[in-house]
Amino acid sequence: MRITVFGATGNIGQVVVAEALNRGHQVTAVTRSAAKATQLPASVQVEVADVNNVEDVIRLSQGQDLVISATRPTEGQEKQLVSIANALLEGLLETHTRLLLVGGAACLTVPNTGGKLVLDDVSLVPPAWKSIAQACYEQYQHCVSHRNQNWTYMSPAALIGPGARTEQFRVSDGELLVDEQGKSHISWQDFAIALLDEAQSPKFLGGKLTVGY
């Protein structure tokens, strides 16, 4: 596949690029900073662009099979997540390219709570995380209401970070995944595997999925 990855130099973006290359895909890696391009493998095509710019989205998705967005705004700029989703959806409407959007867990439901959202569970979203969680929830809702429905929203577990590439995880279409110890977590590496699985064999088009142990 020909895949464009926005946010390619971020924590998740770098792992996604590596997983895509490992599977033999052609990757265009997009970053906002040319200085960060040195972090990327030599085999990718590097582009400097702004995911908030619809024209950049159109240019870098033309002729591509898929766009993956793994961007994260800086602290205090969380509301940009909605405008990012809008720029992607509008731009990709022009090129008819599918979108895999790495979002947050806020839109998932908490197991055994009768449908309570992760966003509203203070044990999962403490006050310090509320702003980014709210922005992720609004980002997902914007996708749902947009005229372009050629997307999949991918939510991580409650906790995501560096770890092992186990290839042993579960996938859900809307409920937060929790392990036997009551912990909701996933490594960046296993998250990238699940994301590329969905890229190659779409099962959640126009909806969300999550992954966890």
Side-chain angles (χ1 to χ4, degrees), residues 2-199:
R2 298 180 302 276
I3 302 174
T4 295
V5 180
F6 284 94
T9 57
N11 290 328
I12 294 177
Q14 290 188 63
V15 180
V16 167
V17 167
E19 181 67 26
L21 291 174
N22 187 52
R23 297 188 186 206
H25 300 301
Q26 298 175 32
V27 177
T28 299
V30 187
T31 178
R32 287 176 294 181
S33 169
K36 290 185 177 180
T38 56
Q39 303 172 18
L40 295 164
S43 56
V44 305
Q45 177 182 332
V46 177
E47 297 280 353
V48 177
D50 182 1
V51 70
N52 256 313
N53 186 308
V54 175
E55 294 305 316
D56 281 353
V57 173
I58 292 172
R59 175 173 63 87
L60 294 170
S61 62
Q62 197 76 49
Q64 299 294 84
D65 298 303
L66 177 72
V67 165
I68 297 171
S69 177
T71 60
R72 268 293 178 268
T74 57
E75 187 175 353
Q77 302 296 317
E78 292 87 356
K79 292 292 186 183
Q80 284 187 1
L81 286 178
V82 177
S83 61
I84 287 170
N86 188 66
L88 286 162
L89 292 167
E90 288 292 328
L92 298 180
L93 197 61
E94 295 293 318
T95 59
H96 307 288
T97 309
R98 181 162 57 101
L99 171 65
L100 247 175
L101 181 59
V102 177
C107 60
L108 303 175
T109 56
V110 182
N112 305 312
T113 62
K116 183 178 185 178
L117 292 174
V118 168
L119 175 66
D120 300 322
D121 191 321
V122 293
S123 69
L124 294 167
V125 181
W129 298 358
K130 189 71 174 183
S131 293
I132 187 66
Q134 181 67 41
C136 286
Y137 178 77
E138 292 174 6
Q139 181 188 49
Y140 171 70
Q141 292 300 326
H142 188 79
C143 291
V144 171
S145 63
H146 199 277
R147 57 186 175 142
N148 183 355
Q149 289 294 297
N150 194 17
W151 54 267
T152 300
Y153 189 90
M154 188 155 177
S155 297
L159 298 173
I160 182 169
R165 188 182 189 278
T166 71
E167 300 184 55
Q168 301 295 318
F169 50 80
R170 295 176 292 148
V171 173
S172 166
D173 65 353
E175 184 174 87
L176 186 74
L177 292 167
V178 178
D179 67 15
E180 293 177 352
Q181 287 73 45
K183 184 178 180 182
S184 175
H185 61 123
I186 191 72
S187 70
W188 290 329
Q189 290 77 4
D190 281 339
F191 183 83
I193 293 173
L195 189 147
L196 266 298
D197 286 348
E198 175 65 18

